[in-house]
Amino acid sequence: MTYYSLNNQTGPVDFKEATILGQAPDKGLYFPSVIPQHPYQSIESLKGISAEEIGFQVMKPYVDPAIPDEELRKIIRETLSFNIPLVRINENTFSLELYHGPTLAFKDVGARFMSRCLGYFSREKKEKIIVLVATSGDTGGAVADGFYGVDGVDVVILYPSGKVSPVQELQLTTFGGNIHALEVQGDFDACQKIVKQAFADTHLKEQLFLTSANSINVARWLPQQMYYFLALQQWQEKEPPVICVPSGNFGNICAGMLAWKAGLPVKHFIAACNANDVVTEYLLTGDYRSATAIATLSNAMDVGDPSNFVRILNIFQQSHPELAKMMSSYSISDLETEHTIQKVYQDHQYLLDPHGAVGYAAFEKYLGQYPGSKGIVLETAHPVKFPASVEKILGRSLDYPPQVEKIRHKEKKSTLIQANYQQVKDFLLSTYLHG
Ligand SMILES: *Cc1c(COP(=O)(O)O)cnc(C)c1O
Protein backbone atom coordinates (compact mmCIF):
# COMPACT_ATOMS: atom_id res chain seq x y z
CA MET A 1 0.00 0.00 0.00
CA THR A 2 1.14 3.51 -0.67
CA TYR A 3 -0.17 6.59 1.10
CA TYR A 4 -0.55 10.07 -0.31
CA SER A 5 -0.92 13.36 1.51
CA LEU A 6 -4.38 14.90 1.47
CA ASN A 7 -2.63 18.22 0.81
CA ASN A 8 -1.28 16.64 -2.40
CA GLN A 9 2.06 18.39 -2.15
CA THR A 10 4.30 15.38 -1.53
CA GLY A 11 4.87 12.07 -3.25
CA PRO A 12 3.53 8.70 -2.05
CA VAL A 13 5.17 6.81 0.83
CA ASP A 14 4.81 3.25 2.10
CA PHE A 15 3.31 2.15 5.43
CA LYS A 16 6.68 2.28 7.16
CA GLU A 17 7.43 5.84 6.17
CA ALA A 18 3.88 7.02 6.89
CA THR A 19 4.14 5.50 10.38
CA ILE A 20 7.55 6.96 11.15
CA LEU A 21 6.66 10.42 9.83
CA GLY A 22 3.14 10.58 11.29
CA GLN A 23 2.19 13.57 9.21
CA ALA A 24 3.28 14.32 5.63
CA PRO A 25 6.01 16.96 5.14
CA ASP A 26 3.38 19.27 3.56
CA LYS A 27 1.44 18.97 6.88
CA GLY A 28 -1.29 16.90 5.21
CA LEU A 29 -2.77 13.68 6.59
CA TYR A 30 -1.81 10.45 4.88
CA PHE A 31 -4.56 8.49 3.12
CA PRO A 32 -4.34 5.05 1.47
CA SER A 33 -4.06 5.28 -2.31
CA VAL A 34 -6.75 2.61 -2.75
CA ILE A 35 -9.41 1.26 -0.39
CA PRO A 36 -8.96 -2.52 -0.60
CA GLN A 37 -12.13 -4.65 -0.43
CA HIS A 38 -11.90 -7.15 2.46
CA PRO A 39 -13.34 -10.70 2.52
CA TYR A 40 -16.14 -9.81 4.99
CA GLN A 41 -18.88 -8.45 2.77
CA SER A 42 -21.67 -10.03 4.86
CA ILE A 43 -22.24 -10.61 8.58
CA GLU A 44 -22.36 -14.36 7.88
CA SER A 45 -18.84 -14.28 6.45
CA LEU A 46 -17.48 -13.26 9.87
CA LYS A 47 -18.95 -16.17 11.82
CA GLY A 48 -16.51 -18.68 13.22
CA ILE A 49 -13.40 -16.70 12.26
CA SER A 50 -10.86 -15.81 14.95
CA ALA A 51 -10.24 -12.18 15.90
CA GLU A 52 -6.61 -12.60 14.86
CA GLU A 53 -7.56 -13.86 11.39
CA ILE A 54 -10.07 -11.05 10.86
CA GLY A 55 -7.52 -8.47 12.00
CA PHE A 56 -4.89 -9.96 9.73
CA GLN A 57 -7.15 -9.96 6.64
CA VAL A 58 -8.27 -6.39 7.31
CA MET A 59 -4.84 -4.93 8.05
CA LYS A 60 -2.61 -6.86 5.63
CA PRO A 61 -3.36 -4.80 2.50
CA TYR A 62 -2.66 -1.58 4.42
CA VAL A 63 0.66 -2.81 5.78
CA ASP A 64 2.06 -4.80 2.84
CA PRO A 65 4.95 -5.18 2.22
CA ALA A 66 6.43 -3.18 5.10
CA ILE A 67 5.83 -5.91 7.71
CA PRO A 68 6.08 -9.67 6.99
CA ASP A 69 2.94 -11.78 7.52
CA GLU A 70 4.18 -13.64 10.59
CA GLU A 71 5.22 -10.42 12.32
CA LEU A 72 1.89 -8.78 11.46
CA ARG A 73 -0.03 -11.74 12.93
CA LYS A 74 1.99 -11.42 16.13
CA ILE A 75 1.31 -7.68 16.30
CA ILE A 76 -2.42 -8.26 15.86
CA ARG A 77 -2.49 -11.06 18.45
CA GLU A 78 -0.83 -8.75 20.98
CA THR A 79 -3.06 -5.81 20.03
CA LEU A 80 -6.29 -7.77 20.52
CA SER A 81 -5.28 -9.48 23.75
CA PHE A 82 -8.46 -8.45 25.60
CA ASN A 83 -12.20 -8.95 25.09
CA ILE A 84 -14.37 -6.57 23.08
CA PRO A 85 -17.87 -7.76 24.06
CA LEU A 86 -21.13 -6.55 22.54
CA VAL A 87 -23.61 -6.18 25.42
CA ARG A 88 -27.34 -5.64 25.07
CA ILE A 89 -28.62 -2.61 27.05
CA ASN A 90 -32.26 -2.70 25.90
CA GLU A 91 -34.48 -3.77 23.00
CA ASN A 92 -32.83 -1.43 20.48
CA THR A 93 -29.44 -0.56 21.88
CA PHE A 94 -26.22 -2.52 22.27
CA SER A 95 -22.94 -1.38 23.79
CA LEU A 96 -19.62 -2.36 22.27
CA GLU A 97 -17.34 -2.28 25.29
CA LEU A 98 -14.00 -1.05 24.06
CA TYR A 99 -12.64 -0.44 27.55
CA HIS A 100 -11.30 -3.81 28.65
CA GLY A 101 -7.74 -3.06 27.56
CA PRO A 102 -4.85 -2.17 29.86
CA THR A 103 -5.71 1.55 30.12
CA LEU A 104 -9.50 1.12 30.04
CA ALA A 105 -10.15 3.10 26.84
CA PHE A 106 -10.51 2.26 23.16
CA LYS A 107 -7.25 4.00 22.35
CA ASP A 108 -5.44 0.89 23.57
CA VAL A 109 -6.11 -0.84 20.24
CA GLY A 110 -4.53 1.87 18.10
CA ALA A 111 -1.70 2.57 20.53
CA ARG A 112 -0.73 -1.09 20.92
CA PHE A 113 -0.74 -1.64 17.18
CA MET A 114 1.25 1.48 16.44
CA SER A 115 3.85 0.87 19.17
CA ARG A 116 4.58 -2.59 17.90
CA CYS A 117 4.89 -1.40 14.29
CA LEU A 118 7.25 1.38 15.33
CA GLY A 119 9.22 -1.08 17.48
CA TYR A 120 9.58 -3.33 14.42
CA PHE A 121 10.70 -0.46 12.19
CA SER A 122 13.13 0.93 14.78
CA ARG A 123 15.16 -2.30 14.70
CA GLU A 124 16.85 -1.06 11.53
CA LYS A 125 17.33 2.45 12.88
CA LYS A 126 20.49 3.45 14.72
CA GLU A 127 19.09 6.47 16.52
CA LYS A 128 16.42 6.33 19.17
CA ILE A 129 12.89 7.29 18.09
CA ILE A 130 11.27 9.74 20.49
CA VAL A 131 7.50 9.78 20.53
CA LEU A 132 6.34 13.18 21.74
CA VAL A 133 2.68 13.38 22.68
CA ALA A 134 0.36 15.86 24.37
CA THR A 135 -2.63 14.40 26.17
CA SER A 136 -5.83 15.57 27.79
CA GLY A 137 -5.92 12.22 29.57
CA ASP A 138 -6.63 9.06 27.57
CA THR A 139 -4.14 9.20 24.71
CA GLY A 140 -1.10 9.50 26.97
CA GLY A 141 -1.98 6.45 29.05
CA ALA A 142 -2.67 4.25 26.04
CA VAL A 143 0.53 5.40 24.33
CA ALA A 144 2.58 4.89 27.53
CA ASP A 145 1.22 1.39 28.03
CA GLY A 146 1.60 0.49 24.35
CA PHE A 147 5.22 1.64 24.15
CA TYR A 148 6.44 0.58 27.60
CA GLY A 149 9.50 -1.61 27.15
CA VAL A 150 9.62 -1.26 23.34
CA ASP A 151 13.31 -1.20 22.37
CA GLY A 152 14.61 1.80 20.48
CA VAL A 153 11.64 4.01 21.33
CA ASP A 154 11.20 6.50 24.17
CA VAL A 155 7.97 8.30 24.95
CA VAL A 156 7.67 11.82 26.33
CA ILE A 157 4.14 12.74 27.43
CA LEU A 158 3.02 16.29 28.20
CA TYR A 159 -0.08 16.44 30.38
CA PRO A 160 -1.84 19.39 32.06
CA SER A 161 -1.15 19.43 35.80
CA GLY A 162 -4.30 18.95 37.89
CA LYS A 163 -6.53 18.52 34.82
CA VAL A 164 -6.50 14.76 34.32
CA SER A 165 -8.46 12.32 36.48
CA PRO A 166 -6.60 10.43 39.27
CA VAL A 167 -6.73 7.15 37.37
CA GLN A 168 -5.48 8.85 34.22
CA GLU A 169 -2.59 10.42 36.12
CA LEU A 170 -1.53 7.04 37.54
CA GLN A 171 -1.57 5.61 34.03
CA LEU A 172 0.69 8.41 32.81
CA THR A 173 3.22 8.57 35.62
CA THR A 174 3.83 5.12 37.11
CA PHE A 175 5.69 3.35 34.31
CA GLY A 176 9.20 4.78 34.46
CA GLY A 177 11.66 3.07 32.10
CA ASN A 178 11.33 4.45 28.57
CA ILE A 179 8.24 6.51 29.49
CA HIS A 180 8.70 10.10 30.72
CA ALA A 181 5.81 12.20 32.00
CA LEU A 182 6.12 15.98 31.90
CA GLU A 183 3.56 17.58 34.18
CA VAL A 184 2.92 20.93 32.54
CA GLN A 185 1.69 23.89 34.58
CA GLY A 186 -0.91 24.86 32.03
CA ASP A 187 -3.88 23.42 30.18
CA PHE A 188 -4.13 20.88 27.36
CA ASP A 189 -3.94 23.56 24.68
CA ALA A 190 -0.61 24.71 26.15
CA CYS A 191 0.71 21.13 26.01
CA GLN A 192 -0.39 20.72 22.43
CA LYS A 193 1.13 24.04 21.44
CA ILE A 194 4.50 23.00 22.86
CA VAL A 195 4.39 19.70 20.96
CA LYS A 196 3.59 21.54 17.74
CA GLN A 197 6.47 23.94 18.37
CA ALA A 198 8.82 20.99 18.83
CA PHE A 199 7.76 19.44 15.52
CA ALA A 200 8.29 22.79 13.78
CA ASP A 201 11.73 23.34 15.38
CA THR A 202 14.27 22.37 12.70
CA HIS A 203 17.18 22.88 15.11
CA LEU A 204 15.69 20.31 17.49
CA LYS A 205 14.75 17.91 14.71
CA GLU A 206 18.30 17.93 13.34
CA GLN A 207 19.46 16.53 16.65
CA LEU A 208 16.64 14.20 17.70
CA PHE A 209 14.35 11.86 15.77
CA LEU A 210 10.87 12.93 16.85
CA THR A 211 7.52 11.45 15.89
CA SER A 212 3.99 11.76 17.21
CA ALA A 213 1.44 9.15 18.25
CA ASN A 214 -1.91 10.83 17.80
CA SER A 215 -4.73 9.57 15.58
CA ILE A 216 -3.28 11.40 12.59
CA ASN A 217 -0.77 8.55 12.40
CA VAL A 218 -2.04 5.82 10.03
CA ALA A 219 -0.69 3.10 12.35
CA ARG A 220 -3.00 4.35 15.10
CA TRP A 221 -5.95 5.22 12.90
CA LEU A 222 -6.29 2.16 10.65
CA PRO A 223 -6.28 -0.67 13.26
CA GLN A 224 -9.40 0.87 14.81
CA GLN A 225 -11.25 -0.70 11.89
CA MET A 226 -10.81 -4.08 13.53
CA TYR A 227 -13.37 -3.62 16.27
CA TYR A 228 -16.14 -2.77 13.81
CA PHE A 229 -15.64 -6.25 12.35
CA LEU A 230 -15.61 -7.80 15.83
CA ALA A 231 -18.85 -5.95 16.65
CA LEU A 232 -20.54 -7.23 13.50
CA GLN A 233 -19.34 -10.74 14.25
CA GLN A 234 -21.40 -10.63 17.48
CA TRP A 235 -24.44 -9.03 15.81
CA GLN A 236 -27.51 -11.33 15.88
CA GLU A 237 -30.19 -9.10 14.36
CA LYS A 238 -31.44 -9.41 10.79
CA GLU A 239 -30.63 -5.92 9.50
CA PRO A 240 -27.14 -4.40 9.63
CA PRO A 241 -26.75 -2.06 12.62
CA VAL A 242 -26.66 1.69 12.96
CA ILE A 243 -23.32 2.45 14.63
CA CYS A 244 -23.01 5.41 16.97
CA VAL A 245 -19.52 6.68 17.78
CA PRO A 246 -18.68 9.23 20.49
CA SER A 247 -16.41 11.52 18.48
CA GLY A 248 -13.76 14.12 19.15
CA ASN A 249 -10.98 14.05 16.59
CA PHE A 250 -13.12 11.74 14.40
CA GLY A 251 -10.41 9.10 13.95
CA ASN A 252 -12.52 6.29 15.34
CA ILE A 253 -15.67 6.91 13.28
CA CYS A 254 -13.55 7.51 10.19
CA ALA A 255 -11.98 4.06 10.62
CA GLY A 256 -15.48 2.58 10.80
CA MET A 257 -16.47 4.36 7.62
CA LEU A 258 -13.38 3.05 5.87
CA ALA A 259 -14.38 -0.50 6.87
CA TRP A 260 -17.89 0.15 5.51
CA LYS A 261 -16.54 1.62 2.27
CA ALA A 262 -14.53 -1.58 1.87
CA GLY A 263 -17.65 -3.74 2.19
CA LEU A 264 -18.64 -4.12 5.86
CA PRO A 265 -22.45 -4.05 6.18
CA VAL A 266 -23.42 -1.01 8.26
CA LYS A 267 -26.77 0.76 7.88
CA HIS A 268 -25.78 4.21 9.08
CA PHE A 269 -23.22 6.01 11.24
CA ILE A 270 -23.94 8.53 13.97
CA ALA A 271 -21.26 10.95 15.15
CA ALA A 272 -22.14 11.64 18.78
CA CYS A 273 -20.67 14.98 19.87
CA ASN A 274 -20.70 16.95 23.09
CA ALA A 275 -21.00 20.75 23.00
CA ASN A 276 -18.18 20.76 20.44
CA ASP A 277 -20.49 20.52 17.47
CA VAL A 278 -18.57 21.64 14.35
CA VAL A 279 -19.47 18.46 12.48
CA THR A 280 -23.09 18.44 13.68
CA GLU A 281 -23.36 21.96 12.29
CA TYR A 282 -21.58 21.02 9.07
CA LEU A 283 -24.14 18.30 8.38
CA LEU A 284 -26.97 20.76 8.93
CA THR A 285 -25.57 23.66 6.96
CA GLY A 286 -22.82 22.40 4.66
CA ASP A 287 -20.49 24.96 6.24
CA TYR A 288 -17.42 23.81 8.12
CA ARG A 289 -16.49 26.34 10.81
CA SER A 290 -13.76 25.31 13.22
CA ALA A 291 -14.03 26.63 16.77
CA THR A 292 -12.05 26.75 19.99
CA ALA A 293 -12.70 23.71 22.14
CA ILE A 294 -15.26 23.95 24.95
CA ALA A 295 -14.59 22.00 28.17
CA THR A 296 -17.21 19.30 28.90
CA LEU A 297 -17.73 16.19 31.04
CA SER A 298 -16.64 14.02 28.11
CA ASN A 299 -13.27 15.72 27.92
CA ALA A 300 -11.60 13.31 25.46
CA MET A 301 -14.04 14.72 22.89
CA ASP A 302 -13.34 18.40 23.54
CA VAL A 303 -12.05 19.17 20.07
CA GLY A 304 -12.92 22.31 18.12
CA ASP A 305 -11.33 21.39 14.80
CA PRO A 306 -11.34 17.60 14.39
CA SER A 307 -8.26 16.63 12.40
CA ASN A 308 -9.61 13.42 10.87
CA PHE A 309 -12.67 15.05 9.34
CA VAL A 310 -10.72 15.71 6.12
CA ARG A 311 -10.30 11.95 5.80
CA ILE A 312 -14.07 11.43 6.11
CA LEU A 313 -14.71 14.06 3.44
CA ASN A 314 -12.18 12.29 1.24
CA ILE A 315 -14.05 8.96 1.59
CA PHE A 316 -17.15 10.77 0.28
CA GLN A 317 -15.27 12.74 -2.40
CA GLN A 318 -16.03 15.99 -0.59
CA SER A 319 -19.76 15.55 -1.27
CA HIS A 320 -21.95 16.87 1.55
CA PRO A 321 -25.11 15.09 0.28
CA GLU A 322 -23.31 11.73 -0.04
CA LEU A 323 -21.88 12.04 3.47
CA ALA A 324 -25.25 13.11 4.90
CA LYS A 325 -26.85 9.92 3.51
CA MET A 326 -24.46 7.78 5.52
CA MET A 327 -23.80 9.87 8.63
CA SER A 328 -25.93 11.83 11.10
CA SER A 329 -24.66 13.82 14.05
CA TYR A 330 -26.16 15.05 17.29
CA SER A 331 -24.71 17.39 19.90
CA ILE A 332 -25.40 16.43 23.53
CA SER A 333 -25.13 18.82 26.48
CA ASP A 334 -23.48 18.02 29.82
CA LEU A 335 -26.89 18.05 31.46
CA GLU A 336 -28.19 15.47 28.99
CA THR A 337 -25.02 13.43 29.55
CA GLU A 338 -25.60 13.34 33.32
CA HIS A 339 -29.28 12.48 32.92
CA THR A 340 -28.39 9.69 30.53
CA ILE A 341 -25.89 8.10 32.93
CA GLN A 342 -28.48 8.23 35.69
CA LYS A 343 -31.41 6.99 33.62
CA VAL A 344 -29.62 4.13 31.88
CA TYR A 345 -28.32 2.95 35.24
CA GLN A 346 -31.78 3.13 36.84
CA ASP A 347 -33.71 1.59 33.96
CA HIS A 348 -31.23 -0.97 32.69
CA GLN A 349 -28.59 -1.34 35.45
CA TYR A 350 -25.96 -0.45 32.88
CA LEU A 351 -23.28 2.04 33.84
CA LEU A 352 -22.07 4.36 31.09
CA ASP A 353 -19.08 6.69 31.25
CA PRO A 354 -19.67 10.29 30.07
CA HIS A 355 -18.40 9.52 26.52
CA GLY A 356 -20.58 6.45 26.14
CA ALA A 357 -23.47 8.46 27.58
CA VAL A 358 -23.08 11.05 24.82
CA GLY A 359 -23.25 8.13 22.38
CA TYR A 360 -26.34 6.63 24.01
CA ALA A 361 -28.16 9.98 24.10
CA ALA A 362 -27.34 10.63 20.43
CA PHE A 363 -28.70 7.22 19.46
CA GLU A 364 -31.90 7.97 21.40
CA LYS A 365 -32.33 11.12 19.32
CA TYR A 366 -31.85 9.10 16.17
CA LEU A 367 -34.41 6.55 17.43
CA GLY A 368 -36.84 9.42 17.89
CA GLN A 369 -36.53 10.13 14.17
CA TYR A 370 -36.23 6.52 13.01
CA PRO A 371 -38.19 4.42 15.53
CA GLY A 372 -37.44 0.70 15.62
CA SER A 373 -33.83 1.07 14.48
CA LYS A 374 -31.30 -1.21 16.13
CA GLY A 375 -27.88 0.05 16.87
CA ILE A 376 -24.52 -0.26 18.53
CA VAL A 377 -23.11 2.48 20.73
CA LEU A 378 -19.35 2.39 21.13
CA GLU A 379 -18.56 2.62 24.85
CA THR A 380 -15.11 4.17 24.56
CA ALA A 381 -13.96 4.33 28.20
CA HIS A 382 -14.49 2.62 31.54
CA PRO A 383 -16.64 4.70 33.96
CA VAL A 384 -13.91 4.44 36.61
CA LYS A 385 -11.72 6.75 34.50
CA PHE A 386 -14.18 9.57 35.15
CA PRO A 387 -15.18 9.14 38.80
CA ALA A 388 -15.86 12.83 39.42
CA SER A 389 -18.99 12.81 37.29
CA VAL A 390 -19.99 9.15 37.51
CA GLU A 391 -19.71 8.85 41.31
CA LYS A 392 -21.57 12.09 41.86
CA ILE A 393 -24.44 10.87 39.73
CA LEU A 394 -24.56 7.42 41.30
CA GLY A 395 -24.05 8.69 44.84
CA ARG A 396 -21.49 5.99 45.62
CA SER A 397 -17.91 5.14 44.78
CA LEU A 398 -16.95 2.71 42.04
CA ASP A 399 -15.01 -0.52 42.41
CA TYR A 400 -11.58 -0.54 40.80
CA PRO A 401 -10.93 -3.05 38.04
CA PRO A 402 -7.62 -5.01 38.18
CA GLN A 403 -5.98 -2.62 35.69
CA VAL A 404 -6.29 0.14 38.32
CA GLU A 405 -5.58 -2.02 41.38
CA LYS A 406 -2.24 -2.87 39.82
CA ILE A 407 -1.06 0.75 39.72
CA ARG A 408 -3.02 2.28 42.59
CA HIS A 409 -0.19 2.18 45.10
CA LYS A 410 2.65 2.85 42.71
CA GLU A 411 4.72 5.97 43.05
CA LYS A 412 4.00 8.87 40.73
CA LYS A 413 7.07 9.89 38.73
CA SER A 414 6.75 13.07 36.73
CA THR A 415 8.81 16.14 35.95
CA LEU A 416 7.02 19.35 36.82
CA ILE A 417 7.63 21.91 34.11
CA GLN A 418 6.33 25.35 33.16
CA ALA A 419 4.18 25.80 30.06
CA ASN A 420 7.22 27.07 28.24
CA TYR A 421 8.67 25.62 25.04
CA GLN A 422 12.29 26.35 25.88
CA GLN A 423 12.07 24.33 29.10
CA VAL A 424 10.68 21.33 27.26
CA LYS A 425 13.34 21.65 24.56
CA ASP A 426 16.06 21.82 27.21
CA PHE A 427 14.63 18.72 28.85
CA LEU A 428 14.64 16.82 25.55
CA LEU A 429 18.18 17.84 24.62
CA SER A 430 19.67 17.19 28.04
CA THR A 431 17.94 13.80 28.31
CA TYR A 432 18.65 12.49 24.83
CA LEU A 433 21.78 14.25 23.62
CA HIS A 434 23.99 14.08 26.66
CA GLY A 435 22.03 11.66 28.83
C1 LIG B 1 -10.28 9.80 22.26
C2 LIG B 1 -11.61 9.46 22.80
C3 LIG B 1 -12.79 9.70 22.08
C4 LIG B 1 -12.79 10.40 20.73
O1 LIG B 1 -12.26 9.58 19.71
P1 LIG B 1 -11.86 10.23 18.30
O2 LIG B 1 -11.26 9.12 17.51
O3 LIG B 1 -10.87 11.31 18.63
O4 LIG B 1 -13.09 10.78 17.69
C5 LIG B 1 -14.00 9.30 22.63
N1 LIG B 1 -14.05 8.73 23.85
C6 LIG B 1 -12.94 8.49 24.59
C7 LIG B 1 -13.09 7.90 25.93
C8 LIG B 1 -11.67 8.84 24.09
O5 LIG B 1 -10.59 8.62 24.83
Side-chain angles (χ1 to χ4, degrees), residues 16 20 66-68 117-127 129 151-152:
K16 176 181 171 182
I20 291 178
I67 299 178
C117 293
L118 209 52
Y120 178 77
F121 297 142
S122 81
R123 295 197 304 205
E124 302 145 31
K125 254 187 141 32
K126 274 190 250 49
E127 41 184 342
I129 297 179
D151 276 343

Short mmCIF file of all heavy atoms in Angstrom, two decimals, residues 16 20 66-68 117-127 129 151-152:
data_model
loop_
_atom_site.label_atom_id
_atom_site.label_comp_id
_atom_site.label_asym_id
_atom_site.label_seq_id
_atom_site.Cartn_x
_atom_site.Cartn_y
_atom_site.Cartn_z
N LYS A 16 5.61 2.02 6.21
CA LYS A 16 6.68 2.28 7.16
C LYS A 16 6.96 3.78 7.28
O LYS A 16 7.02 4.33 8.38
CB LYS A 16 7.95 1.54 6.72
CG LYS A 16 9.15 1.84 7.58
CD LYS A 16 10.38 1.09 7.08
CE LYS A 16 11.61 1.58 7.85
NZ LYS A 16 12.83 0.93 7.37
N ILE A 20 6.43 6.27 10.50
CA ILE A 20 7.55 6.96 11.15
C ILE A 20 7.36 8.48 11.10
O ILE A 20 7.64 9.19 12.05
CB ILE A 20 8.89 6.53 10.50
CG1 ILE A 20 9.16 5.06 10.88
CG2 ILE A 20 10.03 7.41 10.97
CD1 ILE A 20 10.41 4.49 10.27
N ALA A 66 5.50 -3.74 4.10
CA ALA A 66 6.43 -3.18 5.10
C ALA A 66 6.66 -4.11 6.29
O ALA A 66 7.70 -4.03 6.95
CB ALA A 66 5.91 -1.82 5.58
N ILE A 67 5.69 -4.98 6.59
CA ILE A 67 5.83 -5.91 7.71
C ILE A 67 5.49 -7.32 7.22
O ILE A 67 4.42 -7.52 6.63
CB ILE A 67 4.88 -5.51 8.88
CG1 ILE A 67 5.23 -4.11 9.38
CG2 ILE A 67 4.96 -6.51 10.02
CD1 ILE A 67 4.33 -3.60 10.49
N PRO A 68 6.38 -8.30 7.45
CA PRO A 68 6.08 -9.67 6.99
C PRO A 68 4.85 -10.26 7.69
O PRO A 68 4.53 -9.87 8.82
CB PRO A 68 7.35 -10.46 7.34
CG PRO A 68 8.28 -9.53 8.03
CD PRO A 68 7.67 -8.17 8.11
N CYS A 117 4.39 -1.69 15.64
CA CYS A 117 4.89 -1.40 14.29
C CYS A 117 6.16 -0.55 14.39
O CYS A 117 7.17 -0.84 13.74
CB CYS A 117 3.85 -0.65 13.45
SG CYS A 117 2.42 -1.65 13.05
N LEU A 118 6.09 0.48 15.21
CA LEU A 118 7.25 1.38 15.33
C LEU A 118 8.44 0.63 15.94
O LEU A 118 9.58 0.82 15.52
CB LEU A 118 6.86 2.59 16.20
CG LEU A 118 7.59 3.89 15.92
CD1 LEU A 118 7.54 4.27 14.45
CD2 LEU A 118 6.98 5.03 16.75
N GLY A 119 8.16 -0.25 16.90
CA GLY A 119 9.22 -1.08 17.48
C GLY A 119 9.87 -1.93 16.40
O GLY A 119 11.09 -2.06 16.33
N TYR A 120 9.05 -2.51 15.51
CA TYR A 120 9.58 -3.33 14.42
C TYR A 120 10.46 -2.48 13.48
O TYR A 120 11.56 -2.86 13.13
CB TYR A 120 8.43 -3.98 13.65
CG TYR A 120 8.91 -4.81 12.49
CD1 TYR A 120 9.45 -6.07 12.71
CD2 TYR A 120 8.84 -4.33 11.19
CE1 TYR A 120 9.92 -6.83 11.65
CE2 TYR A 120 9.31 -5.08 10.13
CZ TYR A 120 9.85 -6.33 10.36
OH TYR A 120 10.33 -7.07 9.31
N PHE A 121 9.95 -1.30 13.13
CA PHE A 121 10.70 -0.46 12.19
C PHE A 121 11.98 0.09 12.83
O PHE A 121 12.96 0.34 12.14
CB PHE A 121 9.83 0.71 11.69
CG PHE A 121 8.64 0.27 10.90
CD1 PHE A 121 7.42 0.93 11.02
CD2 PHE A 121 8.73 -0.80 10.02
CE1 PHE A 121 6.31 0.52 10.30
CE2 PHE A 121 7.62 -1.23 9.29
CZ PHE A 121 6.41 -0.56 9.43
N SER A 122 11.97 0.29 14.14
CA SER A 122 13.13 0.93 14.78
C SER A 122 14.31 -0.05 14.87
O SER A 122 15.42 0.37 15.15
CB SER A 122 12.76 1.46 16.16
OG SER A 122 12.78 0.40 17.09
N ARG A 123 14.05 -1.33 14.63
CA ARG A 123 15.16 -2.30 14.70
C ARG A 123 16.25 -1.98 13.69
O ARG A 123 17.41 -2.28 13.89
CB ARG A 123 14.63 -3.72 14.43
CG ARG A 123 13.67 -4.20 15.49
CD ARG A 123 13.50 -5.69 15.44
NE ARG A 123 13.07 -6.11 14.10
CZ ARG A 123 12.40 -7.25 13.88
NH1 ARG A 123 12.09 -8.02 14.87
NH2 ARG A 123 12.05 -7.58 12.66
N GLU A 124 15.84 -1.37 12.56
CA GLU A 124 16.85 -1.06 11.53
C GLU A 124 17.39 0.35 11.69
O GLU A 124 18.20 0.80 10.91
CB GLU A 124 16.21 -1.18 10.13
CG GLU A 124 15.64 -2.54 9.85
CD GLU A 124 14.38 -2.45 9.00
OE1 GLU A 124 14.28 -1.51 8.20
OE2 GLU A 124 13.50 -3.30 9.16
N LYS A 125 16.92 1.06 12.70
CA LYS A 125 17.33 2.45 12.88
C LYS A 125 18.40 2.53 13.96
O LYS A 125 18.27 1.91 14.99
CB LYS A 125 16.13 3.28 13.32
CG LYS A 125 15.57 4.17 12.24
CD LYS A 125 14.50 5.09 12.80
CE LYS A 125 14.56 6.47 12.21
NZ LYS A 125 15.00 6.58 10.86
N LYS A 126 19.43 3.34 13.71
CA LYS A 126 20.49 3.45 14.72
C LYS A 126 20.05 4.37 15.85
O LYS A 126 20.24 4.09 17.01
CB LYS A 126 21.77 3.95 14.07
CG LYS A 126 22.61 2.81 13.48
CD LYS A 126 23.96 3.31 13.07
CE LYS A 126 24.23 3.38 11.59
NZ LYS A 126 23.40 3.95 10.60
N GLU A 127 19.45 5.51 15.48
CA GLU A 127 19.09 6.47 16.52
C GLU A 127 17.78 6.08 17.20
O GLU A 127 16.95 5.36 16.64
CB GLU A 127 18.97 7.87 15.91
CG GLU A 127 18.27 7.81 14.58
CD GLU A 127 18.18 9.13 13.84
OE1 GLU A 127 18.34 10.20 14.46
OE2 GLU A 127 17.91 9.06 12.64
N ILE A 129 14.08 6.55 18.51
CA ILE A 129 12.89 7.29 18.09
C ILE A 129 12.22 7.85 19.35
O ILE A 129 12.02 7.11 20.32
CB ILE A 129 11.90 6.39 17.32
CG1 ILE A 129 12.54 5.87 16.03
CG2 ILE A 129 10.61 7.14 17.01
CD1 ILE A 129 11.65 4.94 15.22
N ASP A 151 11.92 -1.59 22.60
CA ASP A 151 13.31 -1.20 22.37
C ASP A 151 13.43 -0.13 21.30
O ASP A 151 12.74 -0.18 20.30
CB ASP A 151 14.13 -2.42 21.89
CG ASP A 151 14.60 -3.24 23.07
OD1 ASP A 151 14.58 -2.71 24.20
OD2 ASP A 151 14.98 -4.41 22.85
N GLY A 152 14.31 0.81 21.52
CA GLY A 152 14.61 1.80 20.48
C GLY A 152 13.63 2.96 20.46
O GLY A 152 13.75 3.85 19.61
#
